[in-house]
């Protein structure tokens, strides 16, 4: 289901030549409404230029549900103030190692986060 949804969102984005614009957000809002009406639960949806950024965005939404879209031009600015533990896939050991070198990582994180 998730892979199918990812394919549909990627297809919609390519068909309409949008980059996290109105069409992508509209598709995700429809997903939220349908999930809420059919299953009775809200969802958190992160949209980003990579799975890591999208998953991190989803984690930042909170329990009530919602949509958070991070465009490619805003990845570094958005990730900058987050603690390293907030980055998707970073565990306790990695966070400890990364805290000391965080300032030097910004260009690398931006490059990694925007890769498709």
């Amino acid at each position: 289901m998730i892979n199918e949804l990812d394919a549909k969102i990627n297809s919609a984005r390519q068909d309409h030549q949008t980059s996290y614009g109105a069409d992508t957000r509209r598709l995700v809002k429809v997903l939220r409404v349908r999930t809420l009406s059919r299953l009775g639960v809200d969802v958190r949806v992160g949209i980003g230029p990579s799975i890591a950024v999208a998953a991190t965005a989803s984690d930042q939404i909170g329990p009530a549900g919602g949509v958070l879209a991070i465009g490619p031009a805003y990845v570094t600015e958005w990730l900058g103030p987050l603690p390293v533990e907030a980055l998707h896939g970073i565990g306790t050991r990695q966070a400890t190692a990364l805290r000391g070198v965080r300032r030097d990582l910004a260009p690398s994180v931006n490059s990694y986060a925007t890769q498709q």
Side-chain angles (χ1 to χ4, degrees):
M1 171 79 174
I2 297 298
N3 289 336
E4 181 181 332
L5 176 62
D6 183 49
K8 287 181 181 178
I9 291 173
N10 284 333
S11 175
R13 189 178 69 210
Q14 290 169 1
D15 290 346
H16 299 291
Q17 298 298 313
T18 62
S19 181
Y20 315 103
D23 294 327
T24 304
R25 289 181 187 168
R26 186 175 59 222
L27 181 62
V28 172
K29 287 180 182 181
V30 168
L31 167 72
R32 282 190 68 212
V33 169
R34 287 185 180 176
T35 303
L36 189 58
S37 67
R38 293 180 183 179
L39 302 175
V41 295
D42 203 348
V43 295
R44 301 176 307 175
V45 180
I47 303 171
S50 71
I51 291 173
V53 173
T56 301
S58 176
D59 290 344
Q60 297 299 306
I61 294 171
V67 177
L68 179 57
I70 308 300
Y74 300 101
V75 170
T76 303
E77 180 182 332
W78 182 74
L79 288 175
L82 294 178
V84 292
E85 295 88 356
L87 302 175
H88 179 73
I90 301 294
T92 306
R93 287 185 186 180
Q94 294 94 344
T96 301
L98 291 173
R99 258 189 225 101
V101 294
R102 181 170 179 157
R103 290 186 189 112
D104 298 331
L105 286 176
S108 298
V109 168
N110 188 43
S111 174
Y112 168 75
T114 57
Q115 290 177 357
Q116 293 288 341

